[in-house]
């Protein structure tokens, strides 16, 4: 049986650590936000914090599809659940592995040799994307949690 060394488990740059940080931030958000309906109709970003987030790491900002903090809360919660329980099993009725195999079967006959030749490159491309997205989602979950605490403390969300 293969065992993970303690170095692998403690590496702050590992995918598992990034995933665990996001899930922990989402769990903290879920535990902190006792009444999610208070988030309805509350703008997602303050103007000042939106400017600072959009210029973080010299990356372009993308407009959010969520209209308010409540929709953003639901999105973060949904992503966390999909990570913990699997996306395709819920949608398609099969396991992730089964759906991935079914998705790849048509390519086997028609040119998988060309696409399969750079599996390592594809893996690193998607791994980099996962790191970037999970890091941003972690920051957003922490921001939503802190903003909820700030707003509830000031009574701004209560009508």
């Amino acid at each position: 049986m293969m065992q993970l060394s303690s170095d692998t488990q403690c590496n702050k740059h590992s995918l598992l650590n990034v995933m665990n940080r996001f899930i922990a931030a989402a769990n903290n958000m879920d535990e902190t936000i006792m009444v999610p309906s208070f988030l309805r109709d509350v703008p997602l970003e303050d103007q000042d914090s939106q400017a600072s987030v959009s210029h973080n790491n010299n990356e372009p900002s993308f407009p959010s599809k969520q209209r308010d903090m409540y929709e953003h809360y639901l999105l973060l919660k949904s992503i966390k659940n999909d990570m913990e329980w699997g996306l395709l099993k819920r949608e398609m009725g099969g396991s992730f592995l089964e759906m991935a195999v079914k998705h790849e079967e048509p390519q086997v006959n028609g040119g998988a040799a060309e696409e399969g030749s750079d599996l390592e490159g594809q893996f690193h491309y998607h791994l980099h994307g996962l790191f970037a997205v999970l890091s941003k989602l972690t920051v957003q979950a922490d921001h939503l949690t802190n903003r909820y605490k700030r707003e509830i403390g000031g009574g701004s969300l209560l009508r």
Side-chain angles (χ1 to χ4, degrees):
M1 175 181 277
M2 186 175 156
Q3 294 181 352
L4 295 175
S5 70
S6 61
D7 293 337
T8 305
Q9 294 174 353
C10 296
N11 187 349
K12 68 178 183 175
H13 301 292
S14 75
L15 178 59
L16 292 175
N17 190 24
V18 172
M19 290 172 61
N20 286 333
R21 279 195 322 251
F22 167 69
I23 290 173
N27 285 337
N28 183 39
M29 175 190 73
D30 203 25
E31 291 170 4
T32 301
I33 299 173
M34 301 301 287
V35 185
S37 62
F38 283 164
L39 299 172
R40 288 188 192 275
D41 301 324
V42 177
L44 186 58
E45 292 287 335
D46 297 329
Q47 293 299 326
D48 296 335
S49 63
Q50 186 175 12
S52 66
V53 171
S54 65
H55 298 296
N56 190 18
N57 297 330
N58 296 326
E59 294 180 8
S61 64
F62 297 101
S64 178
K65 293 181 181 180
Q66 292 77 40
R67 294 184 297 259
D68 60 17
M69 287 179 62
Y70 181 72
E71 288 183 13
H72 198 63
Y73 168 82
L74 293 177
L75 171 74
L76 292 167
K77 209 173 145 133
S78 173
I79 290 171
K80 180 194 79 118
N81 287 337
D82 288 344
M83 286 177 62
E84 290 180 329
W85 299 103
L87 175 65
L88 293 176
K89 184 171 184 173
R90 178 181 50 132
E91 291 179 353
M92 303 293 195
S95 72
F96 179 78
L97 181 59
E98 290 170 349
M99 294 309 297
V101 169
K102 288 179 184 176
H103 179 71
E104 291 295 323
E105 284 176 356
Q107 294 180 356
V108 171
N109 296 333
E114 295 171 12
E115 289 185 20
S117 63
D118 189 28
L119 288 176
E120 184 179 5
Q122 290 175 14
F123 172 76
H124 287 289
Y125 173 79
H126 291 290
L127 184 63
H128 177 72
L130 270 173
F131 273 99
V133 168
L134 287 172
S135 296
K136 289 177 185 178
L137 289 171
T138 301
V139 167
Q140 290 176 355
D142 288 339
H143 175 73
L144 188 85
T145 302
N146 292 334
R147 179 133 183 246
Y148 180 84
K149 286 178 184 178
R150 201 172 56 240
E151 296 287 339
I152 287 298
S156 303
L157 290 176
L158 301 174
R159 299 182 204 276

